[in-house]
Amino acid sequence: MSARKAQGLRLPVLAAALATAGAAAAQDVSLNYERLSSLEEPVAFEIGTTTLVLNGVLDSALVHDMENGEASGAGFTGNLQIAALAQLANRWRVGATWFGQYAASDAFGDDSGEDYTDNAALSVGGVWGTAVAGNVSGTVRERTRRLRGVGNAALGFDDFLGGLGDAGAGYVGRFGPWTVAAAADGDGNFDLGAMSQRPHGTSDYRLTLRANAGGLTAFDAREFDTMGASMVGELVHGSTTFDAGVGFERLMSTGADADRGYLSAGVRTKTGALSLSLEGHYGRVGDGEEISAALGARYDIARGLSANLGVNRARLRAAIGGSTIADADETSTELSMRYSF
């Protein structure tokens, strides 16, 4: 690594806004709420008194829908996150962060497989924590969720059904052994979370708590208010990680209410260049049953370059008061080459 790149990756940069949530630094701000994120250290360089930090992913995939043998094809996903960071005379750190992702797929034989999303936010941080405004709806979720599976694994329904609006404000701070995070939108919805991670003996333990008040729109445009709480526990021993999460959610609308409960669990391990994961999920929404499973694999070919596999199954058909809130019955296999930077 060059001296210039090393300088760009010093603590003020990492503490300001782009390391992943797994780094557990209280000042981090990441706007990547998508399935694919870079496993590499971000690239950083300086322009005057401002540090630019960037990382991203390029992924080219082959997808096969196992429920419909003719629905197969190719897909491409590319995303990039850029932050401009600086430190003021009073030692406050200010930053502007942007994330964008483009995804295209012809795997299902129609024109609906093309999608672009982006998020942007401004942040200011000090010893008191970091305040952020913009597209912050996923900041608490990313800090308190179970780890994603490796490769192309994607476990369905492992979250609340209700959520925040896209734009709002949030806060992240550290208090003793706990990192706390909060976000709220303009409609009064909120997301609160807390995380503690500590080593003990030869293992590492993580515990997260989360409470959420959000909204959900059914297929017929009926609006539901939601309230939920969840907890995640994680154990890391050597190259293997075990975790489990449990959640409860209340869905409420005029003349129609329902309760939802779910349990998810998984294991990840790495041996040499090969990483594997296996996850499962079971829950109920009113009279509807939700089941999902995901198997993932990643083989590291070179720095940033990997081959990835995912086999994913998800099934949920749920209606509340005559309004359909979920209708999914999918099994797919995805193989891809991925480059992270």
Side-chain angles (χ1 to χ4, degrees), residues 235-255:
L235 165 66
V236 181
H237 184 76
S239 299
T240 303
T241 300
F242 303 90
D243 62 8
V246 61
F248 174 82
E249 190 173 19
R250 178 73 172 168
L251 292 82
M252 301 163 287
S253 184
T254 303

Side-chain angles (χ1 to χ4, degrees), residues 28-338:
D28 297 349
V29 176
S30 176
L31 301 181
N32 184 353
Y33 313 140
E34 305 294 336
R35 179 174 63 89
L36 300 184
S37 60
S38 178
L39 299 177
E40 300 297 319
E41 293 287 356
V43 177
F45 53 92
E46 294 181 359
I47 300 178
T49 59
T50 301
T51 300
L52 295 182
V53 186
L54 62 91
N55 57 6
V57 173
L58 299 174
D59 185 271
S60 181
L62 295 175
V63 183
H64 176 65
D65 182 357
M66 299 171 66
E67 297 295 322
N68 180 359
E70 297 180 357
S72 301
F76 171 80
T77 301
N79 64 46
L80 179 68
Q81 182 165 275
I82 303 174
L85 311 170
Q87 189 172 49
L88 304 180
N90 62 0
R91 297 186 181 276
W92 284 11
R93 295 175 297 276
V94 295
T97 307
W98 172 86
F99 169 83
Q101 175 167 293
Y102 171 78
S105 173
D106 64 359
F108 301 104
D110 56 34
D111 297 327
S112 63
E114 189 170 340
D115 183 55
Y116 172 78
T117 58
D118 59 10
N119 299 315
L122 300 175
S123 64
V124 57
V127 295
W128 40 266
T130 297
V132 59
N135 305 124
V136 299
S137 60
T139 54
V140 176
R141 157 72 169 162
E142 291 303 312
R143 290 176 175 275
T144 57
R145 62 169 296 148
R146 292 181 49 255
L147 289 179
R148 286 183 173 87
V150 303
N152 289 317
L155 186 68
F157 318 125
D158 190 17
D159 191 10
F160 299 133
L161 295 178
L164 275 62
D166 188 46
Y171 169 81
V172 179
R174 181 179 290 278
F175 299 90
W178 289 89
T179 296
V180 299
D185 65 16
D187 295 325
N189 300 318
F190 63 84
D191 211 353
L192 305 175
M195 186 269 287
S196 179
Q197 185 169 5
R198 285 291 182 269
H200 182 74
T202 59
S203 300
D204 186 86
Y205 297 87
R206 182 172 73 106
L207 175 68
T208 74
L209 305 171
R210 182 181 173 208
N212 173 283
L216 170 68
T217 302
F219 285 12
D220 61 359
R222 186 177 191 172
E223 298 290 337
F224 287 83
D225 294 323
T226 67
M227 296 193 68
S230 66
M231 179 174 64
V232 170
E234 176 185 285
L235 165 66
V236 181
H237 184 76
S239 299
T240 303
T241 300
F242 303 90
D243 62 8
V246 61
F248 174 82
E249 190 173 19
R250 178 73 172 168
L251 292 82
M252 301 163 287
S253 184
T254 303
D257 298 337
D259 291 329
R260 174 181 181 241
Y262 65 87
L263 172 67
S264 301
V267 58
R268 299 164 47 119
T269 190
K270 181 175 177 62
T271 174
L274 180 64
S275 300
L276 299 169
S277 68
L278 179 63
E279 305 168 271
H281 171 99
Y282 179 81
R284 296 194 67 88
V285 186
D287 295 330
E289 185 178 58
E290 55 185 61
I291 298 174
S292 64
L295 170 66
R298 182 183 70 245
Y299 185 82
D300 300 320
I301 300 172
R303 179 180 174 86
L305 182 65
S306 62
N308 299 269
L309 172 69
V311 180
N312 303 301
R313 169 65 176 158
R315 177 170 62 85
L316 170 60
R317 288 191 172 94
I320 302 175
S323 298
T324 301
I325 62 170
D327 186 359
D329 192 353
E330 304 170 351
T331 305
S332 64
T333 300
E334 183 173 346
L335 177 65
S336 72
M337 294 294 295
R338 184 176 304 160

